[in-house]
Amino acid sequence: MAPQFHGAYKVHGGKLVVADFDVAGGVLANVSISGDFFLEPDEALTDINGALNGQDAAAPAAALAAAIDAGLPAGVVLFGFSAQAVAMAVRRALALATSWSDHQWDVVGPTVLPTEVNVALDEVLTAEVGAGRRNPTLRFWDWQEPSVVIGSFQSLRNEIDPAGVEEYGIKVVRRISGGGAMFMEAGNCITYSLYLPQSLVDGLSFADSYPFLDSWVMAALESLGIRAFYVPLNDIATEQGKIGGAAQKRLANGGMLHHVTMSYDIDADKMVKVLRIGKEKLSDKGTTSAKKRVDPLRRQTGVAREEIISRMMSTFTERYGAKASELTSEELAEARARVGTKFGTAQWLERVP
C-alpha cells in the first residue's frame, strides 16, 4: 500500500529531501526518507528512519530534528541536507508546513503613498494574510517625501540627528519590524514587503528564513549581472559592498512580514547628516565610514530603478505563479486610520526615546 503521507523539501542551495510515512495512534510509522542528497555511511539512512518512527505527529520541526540528531551515530556525514531539512519534509507531508506553490500569490506594484501609510499598511496587510482574508502578497513601496524609517526597537535620539532632519525636511516614522534605520528619498531606494503565512518558514531558523524568502530577489539581480548574497543576519551585499537590509515581524494570528530596502542612488552625504551611525555600528562591517558601507544599485547596474523593480516583479511572478493585485479601499482606509491612532503619533514614534 502507498504511504498515507508524502512531502518534500528542497534545501536552499542544497538537495531534495522526500518523506513518506504513515500515522498510527498519533505517531509516525513506516517512515521512509529519500532524496538526491549524500549520506555516509549508507546505514545512517536506517538510523534516520528509526529516529522518526514513533515520534509524535504533532511535534514541531525542532523536536523532530533533535530526535534525528540524537539517533545518528558519531561520524555520520549529511551532505546537501540536514536533520532540520528532513523534519521540514515531514511537516510538509502533514500539511503543517507549506511551500511557495501551496499558495496563490499576489503582487502589488509601486503606489505613491505617504511613508506613514506605507508602514501602517505593513501591519494591516500582514494581519489580513494571517487571518486568511488576503492572499500572500508581495508589495513594492513608493513615496515622495524624504523619510527615515526606524526599526521597532531603535532609540529615536540615538538614531536620528535633529539638525539634519530639520535641514532636509525629513519625515521620521517607526515601523513594526526590527532592524536598522532606512534613509529614503524619492527614487533613491527599492523597498518591498512580503506578507506571508508563517507556515511557509515552518522549521526554518530566523537566520535561514531571510535568504529563503529572498531567493527570487537574488535570481532577479543575477539576471541583471549582479551576484548578491546574504551577510548574516539581515544584510544583502555584493562584492562591492552592502546594497540593502531586511527585517521581519511575526504576528500572533500566523501572519508574517518580511521587509527589504535596497539602496539605488542614495545621497551618502545627506544620509550621514540625518542618521547617527556610530563606530560600534560599523565595527563588524569592515569599514570605518558609513558612506562606504552602502554601494547603490544604480552604480553597479547602470539600469533604471523602474527596470530593476520590473525585473523583480516578473521574476517573482514567473517563479511562483503570482498575479497582479491592488490595494483595496478598505485596506487603505484601515492603514490611514492607524496612522491617526498609532503610526503618526508621538507616542509610537518615541516609544523608545
Side-chain angles (χ1 to χ4, degrees), residues 215-226:
S215 61
W216 62 276
V217 180
M218 306 309 167
L221 293 175
E222 187 172 357
S223 72
L224 292 168
I226 296 179

Side-chain angles (χ1 to χ4, degrees), residues 75 104 129 140-141 180 252 268 270 287 297 306 313:
Q104 173 59 61
V129 170
F140 286 86
W141 292 31
K270 187 180 296 185
T287 180
L297 286 170
E306 293 74 18
M313 291 176 65

Side-chain angles (χ1 to χ4, degrees), residues 12 21 37 49 94 97 100 126 131 186 198 222 225 229 238 243 262 282 288 293 309 316 326 334 340 349 351:
H12 179 67
F21 56 89
F37 48 77
N49 292 336
L94 293 163
W100 292 93
T126 303
Q198 292 172 37
E222 187 172 357
F229 49 86
T238 69
I243 58 173
M262 294 188 290
L282 302 172
T288 57
R293 269 194 72 203
I309 292 174
F316 188 90
E326 295 181 353
E334 179 60 25
L349 179 61
R351 78 184 194 114

Side-chain angles (χ1 to χ4, degrees), residues 31 33 39 41-53 71-73:
V31 177
I33 301 300
L39 179 64
D42 288 0
E43 294 76 19
L45 187 58
T46 300
D47 294 322
I48 293 175
N49 292 336
L52 288 171
N53 278 315
L72 288 174

Side-chain angles (χ1 to χ4, degrees), residues 85-321:
V86 176
M88 291 190 67
V90 171
R91 295 277 292 179
R92 285 191 174 178
L94 293 163
L96 298 172
T98 58
S99 65
W100 292 93
S101 60
D102 290 327
H103 304 284
Q104 173 59 61
W105 293 88
D106 289 348
V107 178
V108 177
T111 303
V112 176
L113 294 166
T115 307
E116 293 171 317
V117 176
N118 274 311
V119 295
L121 276 169
D122 272 358
E123 184 173 76
V124 170
L125 298 182
T126 303
E128 289 295 289
V129 170
R133 292 187 291 265
R134 167 175 272 279
N135 289 334
T137 298
L138 168 67
R139 179 179 73 93
F140 286 86
W141 292 31
D142 219 338
W143 62 95
Q144 288 295 333
E145 71 275 29
S147 306
V148 168
V149 180
I150 61 175
S152 180
F153 309 108
Q154 287 189 296
S155 163
L156 181 63
R157 61 172 169 253
N158 290 341
E159 299 297 329
I160 303 299
D161 188 321
V165 166
E166 183 177 0
E167 179 180 357
Y168 296 112
I170 304 295
K171 179 69 176 180
V172 182
V173 299
R174 186 185 294 275
R175 62 181 185 269
I176 63 170
S177 58
M182 301 150 38
F183 173 66
M184 303 165 53
E185 292 183 289
N188 83 342
C189 55
I190 296 171
T191 297
Y192 64 86
S193 295
L194 194 62
Y195 313 104
L196 60 137
Q198 292 172 37
S199 60
L200 186 63
V201 295
D202 180 89
L204 285 176
S205 67
F206 276 82
D208 289 340
S209 70
Y210 282 89
F212 172 75
L213 292 174
D214 282 331
S215 61
W216 62 276
V217 180
M218 306 309 167
L221 293 175
E222 187 172 357
S223 72
L224 292 168
I226 296 179
R227 192 184 74 83
F229 49 86
Y230 257 89
V231 178
L233 171 64
N234 63 330
D235 282 353
I236 302 173
T238 69
E239 295 297 337
Q240 285 70 48
K242 176 180 174 178
I243 58 173
Q248 295 181 354
K249 175 68 176 180
R250 289 164 168 80
L251 300 187
N253 76 346
M256 177 176 171
L257 164 67
H258 178 80
H259 174 101
V260 172
T261 291
M262 294 188 290
S263 298
Y264 176 71
D265 190 22
I266 197 164
D267 186 333
D269 291 317
K270 187 180 296 185
M271 179 185 72
V272 297
K273 290 182 180 180
V274 173
L275 300 181
R276 299 186 191 274
I277 306 175
K279 292 181 180 179
E280 185 65 23
K281 177 76 172 178
L282 302 172
S283 62
D284 66 341
K285 308 298 182 182
T287 180
T288 57
S289 170
K291 295 181 185 180
K292 295 178 182 178
R293 269 194 72 203
V294 179
D295 196 80
L297 286 170
R298 180 178 182 180
R299 189 189 70 77
Q300 292 194 35
T301 65
V303 174
R305 174 177 177 267
E306 293 74 18
E307 185 176 340
I308 296 174
I309 292 174
S310 177
R311 183 67 59 89
M312 292 171 70
M313 291 176 65
S314 64
T315 299
F316 188 90
T317 297
E318 291 164 9
R319 274 200 168 199
Y320 306 128

